[in-house]
Amino acid sequence: MDHLEAESIEIIREATATAQHPVMLYSIGKDSSVLLHLARKAFFPGKPPFPLLHIDTGWKFKAMYKHRSRMQAESGMTLIVYTNPHGVAEGISPFTHGSRYHTDIMKTQALKQALDVHGVDLAFGGARRDEEKSRAKERIFSFRTQGHRWEPGAQRPELWNLYNTHIRPGETIRVFPLSNWTELDIWHYIKQENIPVVPLYFAEERPVVHRGGQWLMVDDDRFPFRPGEKLENRRVRFRTLGCWPLSSAIESSAATIDALIEEVATTRFSERQGRLIDTDQPGSMEQKKQEGYF
Amino acid sequence: MEIHHNQAFSSHFKSPIETLRFITCGSVDDGKSTLIGRLFYDSGNIYEDQISALKTDSHLYGTQKDRLDYALLVDGLQSERQQGITIDVAYRYFHTGKRRYIVADTPGHEQYTRNMATAASTADVAVILVDARKGVLRQTLRHSRIVATMNCRHVVLAINKMDLIGFDQLTFDTLVKDYLAATKSLNFDSIYPLPLCSLDGDNILTPSPRTPWFHGKPLLAYLDSLSLSQKDLSVPFRMPVQYINRPHLDFRGYSGRVASGTLQAGDQVKVLPSGVTTRVRRVILGFDDVETVQAGDSVTVTFTDEIDASRGCVLVSPEDPPPVADQFQVTLIWMDQEPLHVGRPYILKIGTKETVGTISKINSIENIGADGDRTSRPQSGTPPERLQLNEIAQVTIKTDSPVVVEPFRKSRSLGGFILIDKMTYATVAAGMTQQVLSSPEGRDIHWHHLTINQKSRGEAKHQTPRCLWFTGLSGSGKSTIANLLEKRLFADHKHTYILDGDNLRYGINGDLGFSDADRTENVRRVAQVAKLMVDAGLIVLVSLIAPFRSDRQRARDLFGAKEFIEIYIETPLHICEERDPKGLYAKARRGALKNFTGIGSPYEPPLKPELAIDTRDQSPEECVDKILRHLRTL
Ligand SMILES: Nc1nc2c(ncn2[C@@H]2O[C@H](COP(=O)(O)OP(=O)(O)O)[C@@H](O)[C@H]2O)c(=O)[nH]1
């Protein structure tokens, strides 16, 4: 655990020392929470010398927005919130436009716009290699060509802890300090460091609807009930958090961090099962990445 | 279809544990992917939703028809899944009750040297796969060699596909003997031979009933039990400075990751390369002040004195400082399509320091280059000038500024480095320092004690500083040719500067007119500036009419022989007047411009220029070629 922490802090400092305009992508989830904590450690007693950037789709859980405000105040860092104005004008909704289109416009395109608008040359992200098969080959310093495209063939070999941080004008780097962490490591660390996380990760009675074999939480009145669907109260929690219509809950009784770690350590299902965007089509995460998704 | 899911392992993993990193190497089809897939599956690190995805995938892409194709668990990218090959280094994570594991999986095909070296650079153990039917191949030895070069000291010799040789002990023993004999010189710390059938899981999680003659531990139990060399904390303290933490005026911290040894508040440290010594006031780890930190920790320290240290400096123990040198002998693995050129400057990154490094000599090229058979490279006579993709060589490297460097076997952090191409920014090589060459009488001679003169400045730029003095009438083509020449020199990584007469009249010569006295002063000033620039190590291109012979002679006298090269752009007046690019001749003819050279004021052509160039029948490119040819003869 100490080794993981030290390695991530080294990566964060290295990236910051060599970038012109770094930002830290902040998605409010557990990985972002750990990433923010590591950044604060890396620059203590100072504040991290970069802003946080939240790509807001307008469909995050209410509890997430609350947590965002809390962490912004606690860290004293600048928070940039960006929402794709075209998406807002079009009234994009995951319910009516589908997860694929929603994710493309409100996350992938929005992220590219935000990076361009703010002249960002380096963005930290909380992705881990153990999340999904196509991430296994992702570098810690991942290069994006002009237009933010990820080309697997153009990535650089990473030897020891020596990162080549040089880029040409228009190119950008995404840096993943949590590359070597697993879901279980994240929770162990959250426990060890007592890091605040969104309460949705812990089991509680919540209003949910059963749809397509998944539990969807009804977070506000935008939920379009289908005939026959009814609201139930179930003891559920989330393994990953995104837009609420795209995150499915699991039935769980893990209300404390210890119970949660026990559950994660023994589960027979992967973390990604609760994410509705990965399985749109075969190799779909890989394709999203090439288009510029984090 | 049996689903075997071992829960015992996962539920034990409740507290943080040690990580072991290993690399798998083998030729294509030796069964690497199958082995890794099997490891994950058998250790209970595969989830049910992944198994159902695997069932779909096995049906679509699998090579096992009705059975689960474990290889598909690890073949990542869609593009390569369809081609059935793996094309890069992939990192995967699993855990047992005892350890966390990071597996670096590398493909067995042509790019393997580069990928394998990358993967091995962070690995503790190498699992080397051998197909039991094929035995120890040249490739197996190459893989072992690369792994040893990267200082990965433990080997598991995994003899796979034992089912295809009937689990025959004799074949296994012979194979092991062959391997031990062939790798004796590599001096591994340990080699663990293991009979496997990845496909069925023999000797992976549990001892196989089909190899009753084998008494060792199965793979996972072995990896769990392997004791890694403990961090040696008695070695002297080293920490490259990564970041200066300056949140406000009252705090100046130096952040970095401790490379070796320990550090305590109150300790004396030396800052290299400057050699300044100071004392540690605070040691900060995370949010806390601590007494001691050790190798591997990411820390921030403050000093009792205000000292000048920046990113790239190294904090070291004053009792036992490392060498500071600008020349060392290294093992280099070339990783780029574009070959290495002896003499070409590259960005060299070592620790947190970047400087420019040049390979001054390739001493030998190892016999384990690209795929296929023995690489035959000329080894006798003149030393080689190029190094190709995936070749490994012993070379001598020279850096522009002295760096803190230690032999690689002593320190991964201060002995390993990368080279970066100055144009493409690709990472083109990995280097392991074998021997530090110039560190004159050891450790107390630092850069600021050296006499730095024109020669050393020029050498640092890999060039001979010169003044190329273009003279000729207005419109003769001086500036065009000078500009083109500068581009060519620049592309050749030379450090250049153009002093253009017209441009200088806006600044340093802004107070001068066109009287004979002012013209003389004009030339004097430009010559002096050129002199300073040549002293700074630059190749200076002066583009100036300088009509008077005596003025040019005075300029020449400032420089040494062969340092001043007068290039006469010999375009006759009527041609210049025809071209008249700035309309000045017309203006002078109208009488609107007094003292214009060639019309109202004389031009004295040089009598013995180093080069005379006639622009009438040559393109500017041809003129530049001619100048470059001349420069090469000097
Ligand atoms: N009979 C037998 N076949 C194996 C064994 N291990 C792997 N294979 C087969 O060998 C082929 C190549 O395996 P794969 O894991 O893709 O090799 P890689 O190229 O090294 O990753 C596949 O058809 C596997 O099913 C084994 O232990 N016994």
Side-chain angles (χ1 to χ4, degrees):
Chain A
M1 194 58 55
D2 288 351
H3 178 88
L4 281 175
E5 179 191 73
E7 178 185 77
S8 300
I9 289 178
E10 180 184 35
I11 293 163
I12 293 170
R13 286 175 176 161
E14 191 68 10
T16 309
T18 53
Q20 303 285 326
H21 298 289
V23 297
M24 180 166 278
L25 272 285
Y26 179 67
S27 70
I28 323 175
K30 60 183 188 302
D31 301 318
S32 281
S33 302
V34 167
L35 192 58
L36 172 59
H37 186 80
L38 289 165
R40 292 172 71 189
K41 275 196 169 186
F43 300 103
F44 181 82
K47 276 191 296 209
F50 40 75
L52 299 171
L53 171 62
H54 180 221
I55 301 301
D56 191 354
T57 59
W59 287 91
K60 301 294 166 187
F61 290 90
K62 286 196 291 270
M64 291 173 76
Y65 291 113
K66 204 168 140 197
H67 188 76
R68 186 180 77 185
S69 309
R70 172 183 169 188
M71 292 319 292
Q72 182 189 4
E74 206 171 280
S75 69
M77 291 165 73
T78 305
L79 170 73
I80 302 170
V81 175
Y82 186 89
T83 305
N84 184 348
H86 310 307
V88 175
E90 271 187 68
I92 300 283
S93 143
F95 288 118
T96 41
H97 296 84
S99 76
R100 196 172 150 68
Y101 190 66
H102 170 78
T103 305
D104 181 47
I105 300 297
M106 299 311 281
K107 292 177 85 172
T108 309
Q109 300 306 328
L111 173 60
K112 294 195 219 173
Q113 290 167 1
L115 296 180
D116 289 342
V117 166
H118 293 280
V120 170
D121 61 343
L122 183 148
F124 291 102
R128 294 177 278 113
R129 287 197 188 117
D130 82 324
E131 277 176 72
E132 209 267 343
K133 272 202 274 183
S134 79
R135 294 235 194 248
K137 298 187 178 188
E138 183 60 284
R139 303 300 200 277
I140 294 174
F141 283 66
S142 174
F143 291 82
R144 305 300 156 105
T145 55
Q146 295 204 351
H148 306 283
R149 279 189 75 87
W150 178 71
E151 286 173 16
Q155 300 299 316
R156 300 165 181 177
E158 288 182 341
L159 290 122
W160 304 292
N161 51 353
L162 289 176
Y163 304 103
N164 171 354
T165 56
H166 292 266
I167 48 170
R168 286 175 291 194
E171 295 176 339
T172 54
I173 315 182
R174 308 237 177 129
V175 178
F176 304 113
L178 303 179
S179 286
N180 285 331
W181 295 55
T182 63
E183 185 187 10
L184 207 47
D185 295 327
I186 292 287
W187 285 115
H188 277 301
Y189 190 69
I190 287 173
K191 178 183 171 188
Q192 176 187 306
E193 301 286 308
N194 205 6
I195 300 172
V197 291
V198 183
L200 293 165
Y201 286 113
F202 297 102
E204 204 179 287
E205 294 252 318
R206 295 192 169 95
V208 288
V209 166
H210 200 68
R211 177 182 290 179
Q214 318 251 22
W215 290 107
L216 292 182
M217 181 168 149
V218 179
D219 199 50
D220 61 43
D221 53 17
R222 288 179 291 180
F223 190 88
F225 284 91
R226 291 180 189 161
E229 282 181 342
K230 62 176 194 313
L231 199 61
E232 296 176 54
N233 273 325
R234 290 268 175 165
R235 234 178 132 64
V236 293
R237 69 175 205 88
F238 293 84
R239 275 180 89 182
T240 63
L241 289 174
C243 297
W244 64 260
L246 298 177
S247 310
S248 75
I250 52 167
E251 288 194 273
S252 164
S253 59
T256 63
I257 185 102
D258 288 316
L260 193 152
I261 287 175
E262 176 72 38
E263 186 190 281
V264 171
T266 53
T267 182
R268 299 163 67 95
F269 293 94
S270 80
E271 184 183 8
R272 291 239 150 215
Q273 206 203 13
R275 285 197 200 183
L276 303 184
I277 61 169
D278 293 349
T279 46
D280 298 344
Q281 57 187 87
S284 63
M285 182 53 102
E286 178 189 348
Q287 184 168 351
K288 283 197 185 65
K289 274 185 61 173
Q290 287 185 353
E291 290 161 2
Y293 182 71
F294 232 82
Chain B
M1 233 284 315
E2 124 238 56
I3 288 204
H4 165 92
H5 193 274
N6 189 298
Q7 289 256 332
F9 272 151
S10 8
S11 50
H12 283 142
F13 183 63
K14 281 178 192 150
S15 53
I17 42 169
E18 197 190 11
T19 302
L20 186 134
R21 301 183 67 134
F22 69 89
I23 163 182
T24 52
C25 341
S27 310
V28 181
D29 277 353
D30 283 351
K32 242 177 332 121
S33 310
T34 310
L35 173 66
I36 298 172
R38 195 79 218 195
L39 267 176
F40 275 60
Y41 188 68
D42 287 355
S43 62
N45 282 270
I46 299 290
Y47 299 113
E48 281 187 10
D49 50 316
Q50 291 172 320
I51 290 175
S52 55
L54 175 62
K55 282 187 201 159
T56 322
D57 283 0
S58 297
H59 194 68
L60 282 174
Y61 312 111
T63 57
Q64 291 298 308
K65 296 216 164 73
D66 45 338
R67 303 170 69 182
L68 280 185
D69 190 345
Y70 296 102
L72 291 176
L73 281 171
V74 296
D75 280 352
L77 303 181
Q78 197 183 16
S79 47
E80 68 192 64
R81 224 189 282 165
Q82 277 151 5
Q83 299 163 28
I85 50 159
T86 43
I87 48 176
D88 210 318
V89 188
Y91 296 91
R92 305 176 206 288
Y93 303 80
F94 73 99
H95 56 83
T96 64
K98 291 242 175 65
R99 280 192 164 141
R100 310 168 72 244
Y101 288 93
I102 304 182
V103 190
D105 175 20
T106 57
H109 73 121
E110 25 149 335
Q111 299 270 313
Y112 73 83
T113 304
R114 157 183 149 154
N115 292 327
M116 202 167 286
T118 303
S121 74
T122 50
D124 307 299
V125 180
V127 175
I128 297 183
L129 258 95
V130 172
D131 183 329
R133 293 168 304 175
K134 298 183 189 155
V136 175
L137 305 176
R138 185 181 289 281
Q139 265 232 52
T140 315
L141 298 179
R142 289 203 194 104
H143 296 165
S144 307
R145 183 74 206 226
I146 295 163
V147 162
T149 303
M150 301 308 288
N151 214 19
C152 173
R153 314 278 345 144
H154 299 277
V155 167
V156 173
L157 180 64
I159 312 227
N160 192 33
K161 307 199 186 177
M162 286 297 291
D163 54 320
L164 299 180
I165 57 158
F167 294 93
D168 180 45
Q169 180 181 9
L170 198 66
T171 316
F172 176 81
D173 287 345
T174 317
L175 236 150
V176 171
K177 225 168 76 210
D178 288 352
Y179 183 82
L180 292 180
T183 57
K184 218 172 151 157
S185 63
L186 300 179
N187 290 318
F188 287 115
D189 286 353
S190 74
I191 296 176
Y192 185 72
L194 190 62
L196 289 184
C197 169
S198 307
L199 208 53
D200 301 333
D202 294 69
N203 286 326
I204 291 183
L205 179 70
T206 49
S208 167
R210 298 195 280 188
T211 55
W213 44 267
F214 176 73
H215 303 294
K217 291 179 176 138
L219 181 57
L220 268 176
Y222 175 73
L223 293 174
D224 272 350
S225 70
L226 189 66
S227 79
L228 299 175
S229 51
Q230 284 297 308
K231 269 184 262 176
D232 183 4
L233 298 177
S234 63
V235 299
F237 171 75
R238 315 265 186 260
M239 184 183 103
V241 175
Q242 204 184 5
Y243 185 86
I244 310 295
N245 191 354
R246 195 95 218 264
H248 48 77
L249 289 178
D250 302 329
F251 186 89
R252 188 184 184 88
Y254 299 84
S255 302
R257 190 150 182 211
V258 180
S260 66
T262 62
L263 184 74
Q264 290 196 354
D267 279 357
Q268 281 233 318
V269 290
K270 194 172 195 151
V271 184
L272 290 179
S274 75
V276 175
T277 302
T278 182
R279 197 172 285 284
V280 176
R281 186 202 296 273
R282 291 174 64 187
V283 181
I284 301 169
L285 186 68
F287 302 128
D288 306 307
D289 274 69
V290 294
E291 273 302 304
T292 314
V293 287
Q294 63 178 48
D297 292 339
S298 276
V299 307
T300 298
V301 298
T302 66
F303 300 131
T304 50
D305 313 292
E306 286 260 328
I307 56 150
D308 196 21
S310 52
R311 175 176 156 84
C313 293
V314 185
L315 308 180
V316 305
S317 134
E319 282 94 62
D320 193 356
V324 177
D326 62 2
Q327 248 197 78
F328 27 103
Q329 212 121 46
V330 308
T331 304
L332 203 69
I333 300 186
W334 194 252
M335 301 186 158
D336 201 38
Q337 293 290 350
E338 170 76 9
L340 162 98
H341 292 244
V342 168
R344 180 179 289 182
Y346 297 93
I347 299 167
L348 181 146
K349 183 169 188 182
I350 184 164
T352 56
K353 170 81 181 171
E354 283 192 2
T355 179
V356 172
T358 309
I359 312 305
S360 49
K361 194 171 165 228
I362 297 176
N363 303 305
S364 63
I365 296 177
E366 282 187 32
N367 224 354
I368 51 167
D371 215 328
D373 261 359
R374 181 190 302 269
T375 46
S376 53
R377 307 264 316 184
Q379 299 280 311
S380 55
T382 52
E385 290 281 312
R386 300 269 191 282
L387 200 56
Q388 308 290 340
L389 176 66
N390 289 323
E391 283 186 320
I392 302 181
Q394 304 301 323
V395 309
T396 307
I397 205 161
K398 231 180 145 317
T399 54
D400 274 13
S401 49
V403 293
V404 181
V405 58
E406 287 192 293
F408 183 67
R409 85 194 96 78
K410 225 173 140 186
S411 166
R412 261 190 193 185
S413 313
L414 294 176
F417 62 87
I418 54 172
L419 295 183
I420 299 167
D421 188 275
K422 287 180 96 172
M423 296 286 178
T424 64
Y425 291 145
T427 301
V428 293
M432 279 73 59
T433 308
Q434 302 304 333
Q435 199 191 345
V436 177
L437 292 179
S438 71
S439 121
E441 276 77 63
R443 293 93 193 265
D444 291 321
I445 298 188
H446 302 305
W447 60 270
H448 59 258
H449 297 138
L450 292 170
T451 341
I452 296 173
N453 52 23
Q454 178 178 321
K455 184 162 176 290
S456 50
R457 291 190 200 98
E459 274 169 13
K461 297 181 178 60
H462 314 283
Q463 64 189 25
T464 312
R466 292 184 204 285
C467 176
L468 309 182
W469 190 285
F470 292 82
T471 178
L473 290 166
S474 176
S476 60
K478 295 185 299 296
S479 299
T480 310
I481 294 172
N483 277 306
L484 201 59
L485 176 61
E486 184 179 37
K487 274 192 196 147
R488 297 272 296 268
L489 290 169
F490 188 82
D492 199 25
H493 306 282
K494 300 296 184 213
H495 299 243
T496 55
Y497 197 81
I498 292 191
L499 292 173
D500 184 277
D502 289 345
N503 294 344
L504 293 174
R505 280 187 179 271
Y506 289 103
I508 189 171
N509 291 337
D511 57 331
L512 301 176
F514 291 90
S515 67
D516 285 1
D518 277 3
R519 281 177 187 270
T520 298
E521 175 59 11
N522 185 31
V523 175
R524 188 191 71 81
R525 289 186 195 173
V526 174
Q528 288 291 350
V529 171
K531 169 74 185 160
L532 289 174
M533 289 187 159
V534 167
D535 193 48
L538 299 182
I539 297 174
V540 184
L541 293 76
V542 178
S543 167
L544 200 64
I545 298 174
F548 306 128
R549 237 171 253 143
S550 56
D551 290 343
R552 295 195 300 266
Q553 183 59 44
R554 217 169 304 129
R556 178 187 289 271
D557 291 344
L558 292 175
F559 296 90
K562 291 197 175 173
E563 215 170 79
F564 184 90
I565 294 151
E566 189 173 28
I567 302 167
Y568 175 35
I569 307 298
E570 204 180 359
T571 311
L573 181 62
H574 69 273
I575 305 268
C576 295
E577 200 169 347
E578 252 172 59
R579 293 180 184 161
D580 202 9
K582 297 177 191 162
L584 296 176
Y585 284 96
K587 220 166 151 191
R589 290 284 181 209
R590 284 202 308 273
L593 200 59
K594 282 204 187 92
N595 294 336
F596 189 68
T597 306
I599 300 194
S601 181
Y603 177 81
E604 304 170 4
L607 299 175
K608 268 170 55 187
E610 273 77 4
L611 269 173
I613 298 216
D614 193 331
T615 60
R616 273 175 300 183
D617 46 6
Q618 296 182 78
S619 69
E621 284 76 17
E622 287 167 328
C623 298
V624 167
D625 285 338
K626 190 170 172 193
I627 300 170
L628 286 170
R629 270 198 304 279
H630 177 77
L631 290 178
R632 254 175 255 130
T633 65
L634 295 176

